Amino acid sequence: MRNFKRAMLAVFVLLLVLAILAFVLENQQSVSLLFLGWAGPQLPVSLAILSALLAGMVVGPLLSWFLRRTTTRSRKYPG
């Protein structure tokens, strides 16, 4: 049973890597992003999207942790 779980995990990781590779290879057009008047360098679309995804995966849990921490602290110390 443990070997089956490892094999399924390996297949899942392999499929994920293949999907990311296909996404990167299909989105090689260069774009320049404009944000608040600041123009970024010419980057492939896939790099811009993957970096936004990774930034969201980091910022989301950090923001959730921070908000949970502040609401817990306000419940402990009312006023």
Side-chain angles (χ1 to χ4, degrees):
M1 187 66 173
R2 193 168 70 174
N3 288 336
F4 178 73
K5 287 182 181 180
R6 285 184 183 174
M8 291 305 293
L9 179 62
V11 168
F12 176 74
V13 169
L14 180 64
L15 288 175
L16 184 64
V17 167
L18 288 175
I20 291 171
L21 181 65
F23 177 78
V24 168
L25 291 176
E26 289 291 324
N27 292 290
Q28 289 296 316
Q29 307 89 303
S30 291
V31 295
S32 178
L33 298 178
L34 183 65
F35 180 69
L36 298 175
W38 177 77
Q42 292 278 335
L43 297 172
V45 174
S46 58
L47 185 61
I49 292 175
L50 288 176
S51 61
L53 173 69
L54 290 175
M57 289 174 68
V58 170
V59 170
L62 286 176
L63 185 61
S64 174
W65 172 78
F66 179 73
L67 290 175
R68 189 176 326 126
R69 185 172 168 227
T70 56
T71 56
T72 303
R73 184 176 290 168
S74 66
R75 288 181 187 166
K76 286 183 180 178
Y77 307 109

